Amino acid sequence: MIKAQQKPIAEIKALIAPYHRILILGCGTCVTISFAGGEKEVGLLASSLRIASAMEGQDKIFAEATVQRQCEWEFIDAVAEQIQQADAVLSLACGIGVQALAERYPDKVVLPGVNTTFLGMAVEHGVLVERCRACGDCILGLTGGVCPIARCAKNLLNGPCGGSQNGKCEVNPELDCAWQLIYDRLARLGQLDRLAALMPYKDWSKDYDGGPRKIVREDLRL
Amino acid sequence: MKVGSNLEKVLTSGYFAATGELGPPKSADPGVIRHKASLLKGYVDAVNITDNQTAIVRMSSISVGIMLLQLGLEPTIQMTCRDRNRLAIQSDLLGAAAHGVKNLLCLTGDHQRFGNHPTARGVYDLDSIQLIQMVKTMRDEKKFACGEEMDVEPRFFIGAAENPFADPFDYRPYRLAKKIAAGADFIQTQLIYNVPKFKEFMKRVCDLGLHEKCYILAGVGPIKSVGMARYMQTSVPGMDVPEEIVARLKGVPKDQVRKEGIKQCADIISEIREIPGVAGVHVMAIEWEEAVPEILELAGLLPRPKV
Amino acid sequence: MSNLSDRSTLPAEPLPPCQVACPAHTDVRGYIHAIARGDFEEAYRIAREPNPLPYICGKVCAHPCETECRRGDVDEPVAICALKRFATEQHDLSKGHAPGLTVAEPKEEKVAIVGSGPGGLTAAHDLARMGYKVTVFEAYPKVGGMMQYGIPLYRLPRETIDLETAPLKDLGVEFVTNQRVTDVDALLADGYKAVFLAVGSHVGRKLRIPNADLPDVWLNTEFLRRVALGEKIDLRGRHVLVLGGGNVAIDVARTALRLGAAEVSMTCLESCTTQPAHPWEIKEAVEEGVQMFHDRTFKEIVAENGKVKGVRCVKVNFRGFLPTGAPDMDEFPETEHVLPADLVIFAIGQGPDLSFLPQDGSIAQTPRRTIQVNPVTLATTKPGVFAGGDAVTGVGFIIDAIAAGHRAARSIDAYLRGLDPASVQPPEPQKLNDLQQKTISHIRHLKREEMPMLDVNQRKFTFDEVYLGYTEAQAIRAAHRCLTCGAGARVEETKCIACLTCVRVCPYEVPLLARGTANVPVDQCQACGICATECPAKAISMKLYSDEDMIKQIRDAVRKAKYNGEPAIVGFACRYCAYAGEDANVVKASLPANVQTIDVLCTGKVDALYLLKAFEFGADGVFVAGCLEGECHNDKGNVHAAKRVAYVKGLLDELALGNARLEMFHMSPDQCANMAEVVSTLITKVKELGPSPVRRS
Ligand SMILES: Cc1cc2nc3c(=O)[nH]c(=O)nc-3n(C[C@H](O)[C@H](O)[C@H](O)COP(=O)(O)OP(=O)(O)OC[C@H]3O[C@@H](n4cnc5c(N)ncnc54)[C@H](O)[C@@H]3O)c2cc1C
Ligand code: SF4
Ligand code: SF4
Ligand code: SF4
């Protein structure tokens, strides 16, 4: 799922500085699961911002709400009234939710309260890791099910760089070297010969280099 | 003979090659280049010019290469995948070739995180193996990466780097094979201090017959101080510095350490020379270029052959 | 509308086994939890609600609840009965005997109750509250039934009975004592619209064996009644043998000891493991010197010149009673022997005296010679006449009679209002399942608190009460052993997004994922609250407290802590450990007025939000006090709390409020007593930082 992280309070304070009535709008899906923007986080942030406002002698008003999925207009509309009443909406959804709000309410100031960080999973409670870069051209079938685009700091396609040491990445010794993982997986699967094949240049046009991407399923369109 | 560079000629003639290295300045001062060039001139077969080494911005490798040509040294320009996409790399290589640069070392590049612009976007459009392949295609098929043809192709003696001590150790020789398959003519390795482990690596390389398909130059370098030895031992990724290397430097009085470092480097060269499949050494003495002649002298590699 | 009807179709919540086992279905968990929180008045209120005799039950209830208590599957059952006693001892009677219970407008109808035992008293109590005019007829001079004339004083001082029965008079119940009812029809003719027969089981039985009629062969009930009526019976120098092994037999034996008997022994059919008396009763009797002879049947009272010499017995292997009432056993040949005694007391059971029932049989009896009733409504075969308690069941327990009294009152009310009495009886509650082994393995073992007792050498010569009751510290420790069964986490399915947080954090491995949402099996949850505080979707609520309650408490605490210009400090103190069995009130009293604590059962329940809220409401400093790491009641509740504190400290820094305003104290038991000292370190830091810049406009 999409993983996100709340922005530092100072940044959020600066974002909301010009506004008086602020709706803090959480999202009940991915950002809830990544402990960044669900109902609980909305409550914590609202309380923090009330403290900040009181410390500065302001009397900002913070409303709290959480919708099931901010990336769908139908769900956002459930809190239409609260949105209308606010001077600005501080969205704790991922960037998609923030933009869905902005598109749905063209006259409303919409501010992001989280940094949408990556596509990933929890490897243990409280530890979220990146797993996919949405490159648009999946090669996991060639790499033993470990993605070198998302998990190798240099997105190398033909094996580890010279910095791989003890299975760890040179960029961050806390991270596993993706190519070590690929090597180990392929070794287990008896497919090490795969590593001999030269992997061709990646077609980055399927990634963001091709411009904003779009999927159209003609069969589904109404 | 693919390119006819001095380095290629030395190697194809069967001499034990010796290359040096020159780190460009973090400024636009050509004086530094001239000075360093004067220290190396005549003692090595070719001089590698690093490309924003450790991701720190320096004078461009290709422009320094052109200066060396003017000063009468043979450059080996280094090219990383970190800072340029396939367009930029190809265009720069066309220019370098047009100026007469003939040796090219293809690298992935140190991650930008370690350098002085850690927030920069890394490009990594290609990896080093794809870079090798691209350069070979340009040279041998007169084609750009996209498949388009060109009239006058850039001709490079293509080098690649290899770190025999990085992991997975078992995979390293195969990765080398992959680089050779992609088009590498010569290999320069990471600094070698753990000679036995390198010997083991070379054995595997020879078993695969790789030494017959390309020239392998072992990377060596003198250590200036005990502190530096320790630093390399503990803090440089992919570096294997056995304890006895440090111990030997510790065993001499402080004012003798530099001298001992030079001797140690020469001794390592002598040991390496005995290892089957090794075609030469690449002496990396960055910011200590004046040590290079002494090391090569001690190692019995001077004078350099005229080919 | 649709919502309401949906709810009515929901299955009733399963109740904790203690509550189900209690015939009156007392909310045991509720009053124990209240004691655990230190809210003793609330504990009394809950214990009193279904039981008009909580003081008495606190002392002598047979507590079938404890046998069922799930704590018993972990180590030993919760001391449920002793805790009820504690709650009554803490209750301030000036707040009323039955706080919160209402009395309806007076009604015209008169109801007669025959017998003033617990069954009769309960029915009288309920019917009086419903507004009926109630008259209780009692054959003896004092009310209380077997509690008054059976249970010995050393277990139940009579002041307790007086204390408990007095308020019934205030309710308008009329007591006619020394009045044995002999004609039920006459009562009906007298204008009583309904009658409840709660006459108990007072007639002791003898075996028809030779010499059973000698003057020195007595009956259990008679003996105890004489003692209770104040007759001075001198048993000094006598050798007493009690025949029978039940609770009544034990009471007889221990009473005989107290009357000076030189030797007291008991003999019964059962073995030492199957003897019907409660094990603790047997233990206490043996401690006092009563000798037990098991596995025997009695053949003859041996006498010489009309003087009892003993009882001739034969060894048997008793297997139980056959449906006919005869014992199922084999006699062992050549085991005949005489147990010596000069006074024999039969204590082999008793039955009701039904001689007063109409001779025409209009009130039918069972083959066991008890009153026949419809078990649901307690209606006898005569319209308007109901019966319950020991007179229907044979000797049972006080709490059974109380339950029967409630049942009868509901039926009588329905009957008088022209309704079907069966329609007003609540359904039998559903019971929680047993704890799974996996859950049990995570539950911390806690020793049951010993009930303080009179020293055995002191007690066996007097009728002074043997049990002394828990101290406050003991009661709280005892209450902390309750697993609050079934009162744990609820997942709101529409809010749950199956993030698995609860599954991952539960120290008892309770939550599961089912049909796309988390599910907390109600019978396994230990109510630690960790999942509820960690759930990012706020999909989990706890039965016994809510965020709203807590936030209200925090607001009040901050207001109170603003005292005399001193820094306002709010603390969250774990009831399990922060007071370490010290009297929490003493510890709290030692804190200055500017330090207000909010008690929680495990710091794992302290949400990061609560900490922030305290600051939002203007607290200058906040602390969380829990136990040392590794000592948590819920395994890692305190670890979670410490992490939340660290997280909120980070937020406080980001807010430039200063992280030093918030502290987690992991306290060892000796530090707990000195909480004031521990907190003073925080106060010093807060003073350095100055008053909180959070000012409410
Ligand atoms: C020795 C002994 C010890 C016990 N100890 C315990 C204990 O520790 N814990 C426990 O839970 N239970 C105990 N019990 C059982 C408990 O006392 C009874 O189960 C309970 O009292 C039954 O209540 P009841 O209302 O049905 O009848 P009772 O309490 O027996 O009351 C019946 C009342 O009706 C009166 N009565 C009878 N006939 C008439 C009439 N015709 N007219 C007017 N009045 C009449 C009787 O005088 C009596 O007062 C004990 C019983 C005995 C015998
Ligand atoms: S642990 Fe508590 S709630 Fe559970 S059965 Fe025992 S007394 Fe009742
Ligand atoms: S923590 Fe909350 S949202 Fe997540 S699975 Fe449990 S109940 Fe559902
Ligand atoms: S975490 Fe605690 S409250 Fe939640 S399910 Fe587990 S035992 Fe119950």
Side-chain angles (χ1 to χ4, degrees):
Chain A
M1 273 192 174
I2 296 174
K3 299 295 168 198
Q5 207 169 12
Q6 220 168 74
K7 283 183 176 288
I9 303 245
E11 187 181 343
I12 296 180
K13 270 167 64 180
L15 281 171
I16 62 170
Y19 310 104
H20 179 64
R21 285 172 175 277
I22 295 137
L23 171 64
I24 304 178
L25 189 58
C27 172
T29 306
C30 308
V31 289
T32 299
I33 294 185
S34 51
F35 311 103
E39 187 171 329
K40 180 183 169 77
E41 305 300 328
V42 168
L44 293 176
L45 182 61
S47 186
S48 302
L49 292 178
R50 285 189 195 109
I51 291 173
S53 165
M55 280 172 72
E56 281 156 27
Q58 299 163 342
D59 55 352
K60 287 188 193 295
I61 297 168
F62 296 95
E64 303 170 37
T66 301
V67 297
Q68 192 172 336
R69 287 210 304 274
Q70 255 185 61
C71 55
E72 314 277 3
W73 288 337
E74 289 89 335
F75 285 122
I76 307 176
D77 285 347
V79 290
E81 206 168 307
Q82 279 169 283
I83 293 172
Q84 296 300 1
Q85 282 162 5
D87 302 332
V89 180
L90 177 64
S91 164
L92 298 194
C94 69
I96 309 164
V98 176
Q99 293 177 66
L101 264 173
E103 260 172 281
R104 187 65 167 174
Y105 297 91
D107 302 323
K108 196 55 67 182
V109 176
V110 178
L111 307 165
V114 306
N115 292 321
T116 310
T117 315
F118 52 76
L119 306 182
M121 62 181 276
V123 278
E124 60 179 271
H125 186 56
V127 180
L128 309 177
V129 293
E130 180 162 15
R131 284 292 182 259
C132 174
R133 197 78 68 79
C135 77
D137 191 10
C138 190
I139 53 167
L140 286 170
L142 303 173
T143 55
V146 178
C147 175
I149 307 292
R151 300 174 71 179
C152 164
K154 302 174 183 172
N155 45 247
L156 302 180
L157 291 169
N158 284 291
C161 74
S164 172
Q165 195 107 65
N166 303 321
K168 297 296 172 189
C169 172
E170 72 163 25
V171 171
N172 179 351
E174 280 172 18
L175 291 179
D176 290 329
C177 166
W179 276 100
Q180 176 79 49
L181 298 177
I182 294 169
Y183 179 83
D184 293 345
R185 273 278 290 170
L186 291 177
R188 275 182 97 112
L189 299 175
Q191 297 180 351
L192 275 178
D193 51 314
R194 287 239 162 123
L195 291 176
L198 232 75
M199 194 95 85
Y201 313 133
K202 175 106 179 141
D203 178 355
W204 295 111
S205 73
K206 292 177 173 157
D207 200 331
Y208 52 70
D209 297 275
R213 290 167 282 178
K214 188 173 183 177
I215 299 169
V216 180
R217 277 278 302 264
E218 281 304 342
D219 56 326
L220 298 179
R221 296 184 85 181
L222 296 175
Chain B
M1 197 72 63
K2 290 170 179 159
V3 176
S5 71
N6 183 53
L7 178 61
E8 185 183 16
K9 285 189 215 151
V10 169
L11 287 166
T12 46
S13 318
Y15 292 109
F16 192 76
T19 54
E21 187 156 304
L22 186 155
K26 285 166 77 176
S27 78
D29 180 5
V32 180
I33 313 288
R34 283 192 206 105
H35 172 68
K36 288 187 174 177
S38 71
L39 296 174
L40 293 171
K41 185 167 179 180
Y43 297 110
V44 288
D45 304 323
V47 179
N48 283 40
I49 306 151
T50 54
D51 178 15
N52 290 341
Q53 196 184 16
T54 60
I56 289 170
V57 175
R58 293 171 181 277
M59 191 183 287
S60 94
S61 173
I62 291 174
S63 52
V64 174
I66 294 165
M67 284 177 70
L68 290 198
L69 284 171
Q70 290 161 356
L71 295 168
L73 289 87
E74 176 167 288
T76 299
I77 57 163
Q78 300 192 173
M79 175 64 73
T80 72
C81 299
R82 177 191 59 228
D83 305 332
R84 297 171 186 81
N85 67 5
R86 56 192 91 162
L87 273 82
I89 294 175
Q90 290 179 103
S91 103
D92 280 356
L93 291 182
L94 293 179
H99 276 98
V101 176
K102 292 201 172 85
N103 305 318
L104 169 70
L105 187 72
C106 300
L107 303 163
T108 305
D110 298 316
H111 198 270
Q112 61 274 16
R113 168 172 173 157
F114 299 111
N116 59 356
H117 290 72
T119 59
R121 164 165 270 182
V123 178
Y124 304 110
D125 175 17
L126 307 176
D127 64 26
S128 60
I129 295 180
Q130 291 168 335
L131 172 59
I132 293 167
Q133 185 190 20
M134 182 173 79
V135 178
K136 181 178 158 70
T137 314
M138 288 170 89
R139 181 187 73 192
D140 296 349
E141 295 174 34
K142 293 184 161 197
K143 277 186 189 158
F144 290 107
C146 60
E148 250 173 59
E149 305 227 348
M150 67 189 97
D151 287 344
V152 180
E153 78 284 8
R155 296 206 66 83
F156 289 109
F157 190 48
I158 305 171
E162 183 51 51
N163 182 357
F165 306 118
D167 286 317
F169 182 72
D170 289 340
Y171 174 56
R172 287 287 149 183
Y174 295 95
R175 184 166 143 87
L176 185 60
K178 202 165 170 180
K179 288 187 169 172
I180 294 166
D185 302 312
F186 71 98
I187 300 293
Q188 289 175 322
T189 74
Q190 165 74 291
L191 282 169
I192 285 160
Y193 294 102
N194 187 342
V195 180
K197 192 162 178 193
F198 178 61
K199 214 180 257 174
E200 167 68 25
F201 171 79
M202 282 308 298
K203 189 178 167 300
R204 297 187 188 196
V205 167
C206 295
D207 288 349
L208 292 171
L210 298 178
H211 62 303
E212 283 158 4
K213 297 186 186 151
C214 107
Y215 303 101
I216 296 168
L217 279 61
V220 295
I223 304 179
K224 256 187 202 169
S225 65
V226 176
M228 179 176 165
R230 275 272 176 260
Y231 175 77
M232 292 200 299
Q233 190 179 42
T234 55
S235 308
V236 180
M239 188 82 82
D240 184 344
V241 181
E243 191 51 39
E244 55 268 28
I245 297 287
V246 188
R248 176 165 168 186
L249 296 179
K250 267 168 106 176
V252 299
K254 227 175 173 172
D255 57 337
Q256 307 276 308
V257 172
R258 282 176 165 243
K259 220 175 151 64
E260 193 62 27
I262 288 172
K263 274 200 229 149
Q264 177 162 270
C265 184
D267 290 347
I268 290 175
I269 295 176
S270 310
E271 275 184 74
I272 284 173
R273 251 185 116 163
E274 303 302 317
I275 300 176
V278 179
V281 287
H282 175 55
V283 189
M284 290 170 264
I286 295 232
E287 303 311 322
W288 196 15
E289 284 81 358
E290 57 269 42
V292 174
E294 207 180 332
I295 293 167
L296 293 178
E297 184 64 60
L298 279 171
L301 290 176
L302 292 183
R304 298 308 307 145
K306 299 267 174 291
V307 284
Chain C
M1 228 17 231
S2 69
N3 259 346
L4 279 177
S5 53
D6 279 351
R7 197 167 293 177
S8 63
T9 60
L10 282 178
E13 264 179 35
L15 297 180
C18 52
Q19 187 170 3
V20 173
C22 173
H25 303 319
T26 306
D27 178 6
V28 170
R29 175 184 73 197
Y31 76 72
I32 293 184
H33 190 258
I35 293 172
R37 300 193 300 268
D39 190 348
F40 306 143
E41 271 310 327
E42 174 67 0
Y44 176 79
R45 194 194 62 70
I46 297 172
R48 170 64 182 80
E49 201 174 275
N51 185 344
L53 307 173
Y55 285 80
I56 293 172
C57 285
K59 291 188 168 178
V60 295
C61 181
H63 50 73
C65 51
E66 290 190 20
T67 318
E68 290 296 309
C69 170
R70 299 201 304 176
R71 178 44 101 169
D73 296 340
V74 180
D75 37 44
E76 289 171 280
V78 173
I80 300 175
C81 185
L83 285 168
K84 176 176 289 171
R85 171 180 178 143
F86 176 77
T88 61
E89 282 166 351
Q90 296 297 313
H91 174 54
D92 176 359
L93 272 174
S94 71
K95 296 205 164 89
H97 205 275
L101 290 195
T102 52
V103 182
E105 286 293 301
K107 295 190 172 69
E108 275 312 304
E109 293 95 330
K110 295 201 296 176
V111 179
I113 291 176
V114 184
S116 67
L121 292 177
T122 302
H125 165 271
D126 290 5
L127 290 164
R129 285 189 181 277
M130 294 173 190
Y132 294 102
K133 294 194 170 62
V134 181
T135 309
V136 177
F137 297 94
E138 168 55 53
Y140 290 113
K142 289 184 137 186
V143 300
M146 242 350 156
M147 306 184 298
Q148 186 70 260
Y149 293 111
I151 302 181
L153 272 85
Y154 61 86
R155 292 206 291 120
L156 182 63
R158 294 309 187 249
E159 305 83 77
T160 308
I161 304 181
D162 297 344
L163 171 89
E164 199 107 76
T165 48
L168 287 165
K169 298 191 182 108
D170 303 339
L171 275 175
V173 175
E174 191 192 347
F175 286 97
V176 182
T177 51
N178 286 316
Q179 171 83 52
R180 181 171 296 270
V181 170
T182 49
D183 187 348
V184 176
D185 292 324
L187 287 177
L188 292 168
D190 218 18
Y192 292 102
K193 297 281 180 248
V195 177
F196 178 47
L197 304 176
V199 295
S201 249
H202 287 227
V203 187
R205 274 203 299 264
K206 287 183 180 175
L207 287 179
R208 289 180 217 287
I209 52 175
N211 294 326
D213 297 330
L214 287 175
D216 280 340
V217 180
W218 295 0
L219 271 179
N220 54 355
T221 44
E222 246 171 58
F223 168 63
L224 292 172
R225 187 179 324 123
R226 283 164 60 202
V227 176
L229 280 165
E231 187 183 328
K232 298 271 170 273
I233 301 176
D234 187 355
L235 296 184
R236 271 177 298 176
R238 305 291 299 269
H239 187 165
V240 180
L241 177 61
V242 181
L243 303 184
N247 289 317
V248 176
I250 300 255
D251 280 346
V252 168
R254 292 174 77 186
T255 299
L257 261 186
R258 282 164 174 75
L259 293 173
E263 261 182 74
V264 178
S265 34
M266 295 176 64
T267 179
C268 60
L269 289 170
E270 293 88 356
S271 71
C272 59
T273 53
T274 56
Q275 185 178 353
H278 293 135
W280 59 91
E281 301 259 3
I282 300 171
K283 178 168 162 274
E284 288 165 21
V286 170
E287 270 169 16
E288 290 172 6
V290 175
Q291 275 191 294
M292 298 283 174
F293 298 97
H294 293 106
D295 311 303
R296 286 166 171 84
T297 185
F298 332 124
K299 292 292 184 187
E300 175 194 2
I301 311 282
V302 182
E304 249 173 51
N305 308 325
K307 289 257 178 248
V308 171
K309 289 286 169 206
V311 175
R312 192 157 52 82
C313 303
V314 172
K315 289 262 219 170
V316 292
N317 60 346
F318 175 69
R319 293 179 289 265
F321 288 101
L322 296 168
T324 56
D328 173 16
M329 63 186 183
D330 307 307
E331 293 184 6
F332 292 112
E334 291 170 44
T335 57
E336 219 176 78
H337 58 287
V338 173
L339 290 176
D342 56 27
L343 175 62
V344 171
I345 307 178
F346 271 103
I348 56 167
Q350 58 264 27
D353 173 2
L354 302 181
S355 57
F356 73 104
L357 291 183
Q359 297 305 308
D360 60 6
S362 55
I363 297 178
Q365 299 182 20
T366 65
R368 289 174 56 224
R369 318 241 328 122
T370 56
I371 305 175
Q372 181 187 324
V373 296
N374 170 327
V376 175
T377 62
L378 300 186
T380 65
T381 48
K382 187 184 267 300
V385 179
F386 298 80
D390 284 4
V392 165
T393 58
V395 177
F397 296 125
I398 295 169
I399 193 70
D400 294 306
I402 289 173
H406 287 311
R407 186 174 287 272
R410 284 189 296 263
S411 285
I412 290 172
D413 176 50
Y415 169 76
L416 294 178
R417 291 193 292 133
L419 301 173
D420 173 7
S423 69
V424 295
Q425 302 297 347
E428 278 309 303
Q430 200 193 325
K431 190 173 83 168
L432 286 172
N433 292 319
D434 288 348
L435 286 170
Q436 292 165 1
Q437 209 46 50
K438 185 172 72 174
T439 314
I440 290 175
S441 71
H442 290 293
I443 299 174
R444 212 183 166 75
H445 286 212
L446 295 172
K447 231 185 104 43
R448 185 174 157 119
E449 284 297 319
E450 296 284 347
M451 168 60 77
M453 285 199 267
L454 270 190
D455 180 70
V456 61
N457 291 314
Q458 199 182 336
R459 76 186 187 223
K460 66 184 178 194
F461 302 116
T462 75
F463 280 89
D464 290 351
E465 196 178 352
V466 172
Y467 289 169
L468 302 176
Y470 280 159
T471 62
E472 180 171 332
Q474 276 189 303
I476 289 183
R477 280 198 296 271
H480 287 164
R481 297 181 66 248
C482 173
L483 307 174
T484 49
C485 302
R490 308 287 140 111
V491 178
E492 202 177 311
E493 283 181 18
T494 53
K495 284 180 104 179
C496 171
I497 54 166
C499 73
L500 295 168
T501 297
C502 51
V503 176
R504 289 171 181 154
V505 300
C506 174
Y508 301 97
E509 298 185 74
V510 171
L512 323 157
L513 222 55
R515 281 173 284 112
T517 60
N519 173 309
V520 174
V522 63
D523 33 28
Q524 304 303 319
C525 173
Q526 297 300 304
C528 72
I530 292 173
C531 60
T533 43
E534 297 290 327
C535 171
K538 287 257 157 231
I540 302 181
S541 56
M542 300 298 295
K543 184 160 168 105
L544 296 178
Y545 69 95
S546 68
D547 279 359
E548 294 73 54
D549 294 347
M550 285 300 292
I551 288 169
K552 196 180 147 296
Q553 282 192 53
I554 295 164
R555 199 188 284 275
D556 291 347
V558 175
R559 194 179 304 125
K560 283 197 208 141
K562 292 215 176 284
Y563 181 82
N564 215 3
E566 287 289 304
I569 309 286
V570 171
F572 297 88
C574 171
R575 264 270 168 186
Y576 287 130
C577 55
Y579 306 110
E582 294 292 329
D583 180 337
N585 293 326
V586 172
V587 175
K588 285 181 177 192
S590 74
L591 297 172
N594 62 313
V595 179
Q596 292 291 326
T597 55
I598 295 172
D599 290 350
V600 287
L601 278 166
C602 184
T603 51
K605 295 188 169 75
V606 181
D607 198 309
L609 183 68
Y610 304 163
L611 305 174
L612 278 174
K613 283 287 171 191
F615 288 109
E616 187 186 326
F617 297 147
D620 297 304
V622 175
F623 68 91
V624 179
C627 45
L628 297 174
E629 263 185 53
E631 298 286 311
C632 179
H633 192 88
N634 292 311
D635 186 21
K636 287 198 178 70
N638 56 353
V639 176
H640 284 278
K643 296 222 159 164
R644 293 178 206 136
V645 165
Y647 177 73
V648 174
K649 271 174 167 280
L651 290 177
L652 295 182
D653 277 341
E654 283 195 66
L655 289 164
L657 203 54
N659 76 58
R661 290 184 190 275
L662 173 62
E663 213 48 78
M664 171 90 199
F665 299 125
H666 291 285
M667 309 216 286
S668 61
D670 49 311
Q671 280 177 309
C672 298
N674 300 322
M675 195 187 281
E677 217 173 287
V678 175
V679 175
S680 70
T681 59
L682 173 65
I683 299 182
T684 312
K685 280 192 215 158
V686 170
K687 279 189 174 155
E688 275 165 27
L689 288 167
S692 162
V694 178
R695 286 283 163 261
R696 311 296 298 165
S697 45

